[in-house]
Structures are given as C-alpha cells and as structure tokens.
Amino acid sequence: AQSVTQLGSHVSVSEGALVLLRCNYSSSVPPYLFWYVQYPNQGLQLLLKYTSAATLVKGINGFEAEFKKSETSFHLTKPSAHMSDAAEYFCAVTYGGATNKLIFGTGTLLAVQP
Amino acid sequence: GAVVSQHPSWVICKSGTSVKIECRSLDFQATTMFWYRQFPKQSLMLMATSNEGSKATYEQGVEKDKFLINHASLTLSTLTVTSAHPEDSSFYICSASGGASGGTNTGELFFGEGSRLTVL
C-alpha cells in the first residue's frame, strides 16, 4: 500500500536554527513526492516537488528536500528558520497517472521560537 | 502557478440544512478535481475524486448521498453537504490537477483556500 510517514507531529526550533522535517514513503514504484505548507485556516501551498529529475529539490522560501531512494526518504530542510516559517507542513506522495491522487502524511507542526 | 478558488470561505448553518461549496479553477481547465476533509490538527483525508462529465468516485467510508459532488464544467466542481449535522463540521479543501507540462503530467495539484463549515 502507498503511504507516507512523517516523524514528529511537533517540531520546535529557534529562529536562525536548522529546520529538519522528516518524511518517509513506502512504494514499489517510483513516486512523485511533495511538500506542502498550510497556514491556519488556509489551503495548502506547494513548497517543492520531486518528479524523478534531480534528487535535491529546491523550493520556495529557502526550503529544499533530498530524495533518497535507499532510505525511502524525502526530508525537508531549511538552513535558517524564520518566524514566518511557523506553520503545518505536509509530505505527500502520488504515483502519477491520470488521477493525481495524493496521499498525505499526518503533518508536522513547526514552531519557531524567538 | 495555477489558481484554484473556493467559495464560501466560511459558512455556518443550522442542523438539517444543506450547504454547497464551490471549487473553481480560475486560469486552467481541470478535468479532475479532488475534495478533501480536514479535522482540527489532523491531515487531509481524501473524500472523493470529481471527474468532469461523470460521476464522482468516493473513497471508502464516505457517504455519497451525504456529500454530493457535481463537476459540470471544466472549471467548476461543487460539494453539497446534505442534511448537515454538527459532526459534519470541518474544513473542506478542494484541489485540481494542473494538467500537463511539456507533455508530462507531474502529478502536481493546486489547492483552494478551504471552506470551514460549522453546523449548529
């Protein structure tokens, strides 16, 4: 079965510190992987996506993620956290095709301390 | 990027009434749209896949008679919560496929802003 696991429902970092949000997927076929950010009472905004091109993907707001097939991981990182990064982050996977059916992880709430 | 808009953003209704939520793709045609439901502090749960011109495909456990989906045009899908009850209170989010890019479907979805339904 296709699934995504996000380790850590809550992550707290200090402003300026490294952000690391973990995501592992299960798949028997090459996946497409996404990271979305959600601010309170809003929809989802795409941060970045992996679609079988470069394994290191750079997204918006200074975020990046690396696809590691051997580890079945797609962790999200940012070198220096900003207060505005505080939000809920979702990792998602789809296997392409016509349906674009996304399967979401449970989400990680990122808190940034001053 | 592509824009998807939902309306209304907030709706409060009395128990037993029906509520319609619209999802529009503003600058592209979406043959497929998806409806998600999100409970507080939880992830998004796919409810159904809406296909233009055909019946929606519902996920297991989602009542199709309760959540009516209509996708009559390439830019509009609607979700109607019929005979709403307090347990239907939730955040409903739609998404649409951005379609092909250079001939390859990358699987990217564009999300609406969400609609918060409160049933009294």
Side-chain angles (χ1 to χ4, degrees):
Chain A
Q2 307 156 357
S3 68
V4 172
T5 302
Q6 289 184 244
L7 295 177
S9 58
H10 290 79
V11 171
S12 182
V13 300
S14 299
E15 190 173 20
L18 171 71
V19 176
L20 171 60
L21 305 182
R22 300 178 185 275
C23 173
N24 288 87
Y25 67 92
S26 65
S27 169
S28 58
V29 297
Y32 294 159
L33 292 157
F34 305 81
W35 275 99
Y36 285 88
V37 60
Q38 184 182 33
Y39 297 98
N41 294 311
Q42 294 187 28
L44 276 69
Q45 179 183 7
L46 180 67
L47 280 177
L48 48 80
K49 62 183 178 183
Y50 167 76
T51 56
S52 72
T55 56
L56 181 61
V57 181
K58 294 186 183 297
I60 62 172
N61 302 338
F63 285 94
E64 63 181 38
E66 185 173 7
F67 173 71
K68 292 186 177 180
K69 184 178 179 180
S70 61
E71 299 177 7
T72 61
S73 69
F74 191 57
H75 301 331
L76 180 71
T77 61
K78 181 174 180 177
S80 177
H82 191 273
M83 296 297 288
S84 60
D85 294 327
E88 184 96 30
Y89 292 81
F90 293 96
C91 182
V93 62
T94 185
Y95 298 91
T99 63
N100 303 98
K101 189 170 162 178
L102 276 179
I103 298 170
F104 284 89
T106 50
T108 298
L109 182 61
L110 175 66
V112 181
Q113 308 299 329
Chain B
V3 177
V4 175
S5 178
Q6 276 184 248
H7 177 81
S9 301
W10 299 80
V11 57
I12 300 173
C13 70
K14 293 182 178 180
S15 184
T17 61
S18 295
V19 175
K20 179 184 287 187
I21 301 170
E22 294 185 345
C23 177
R24 294 181 183 274
S25 57
L26 299 184
D27 52 359
F28 67 102
Q29 294 183 331
T31 55
T32 303
M33 290 184 173
F34 301 88
W35 286 96
Y36 292 85
R37 182 175 182 176
Q38 186 180 31
F39 291 102
K41 301 187 185 303
Q42 294 189 29
S43 188
L44 282 74
M45 180 192 76
L46 180 64
M47 298 174 64
T49 302
S50 171
N51 300 295
E52 188 269 335
S54 64
K55 292 183 178 180
T57 303
Y58 290 82
E59 295 299 304
Q60 188 174 8
V62 178
E63 301 176 60
K64 60 181 180 181
D65 295 329
K66 174 76 170 178
F67 300 99
L68 300 179
I69 292 173
N70 183 280
H71 194 159
S73 78
L74 287 171
T75 59
L76 174 65
S77 176
T78 61
L79 168 68
T80 301
V81 183
T82 63
S83 187
H85 288 90
E87 57 265 30
D88 298 324
S89 299
S90 190
F91 194 53
Y92 293 89
I93 304 176
C94 74
S95 66
S97 171
S101 173
T104 301
N105 191 331
T106 62
E108 180 175 354
L109 290 178
F110 298 94
F111 285 81
E113 314 94 324
S115 299
R116 183 164 298 285
L117 170 64
T118 301
V119 185
L120 303 176

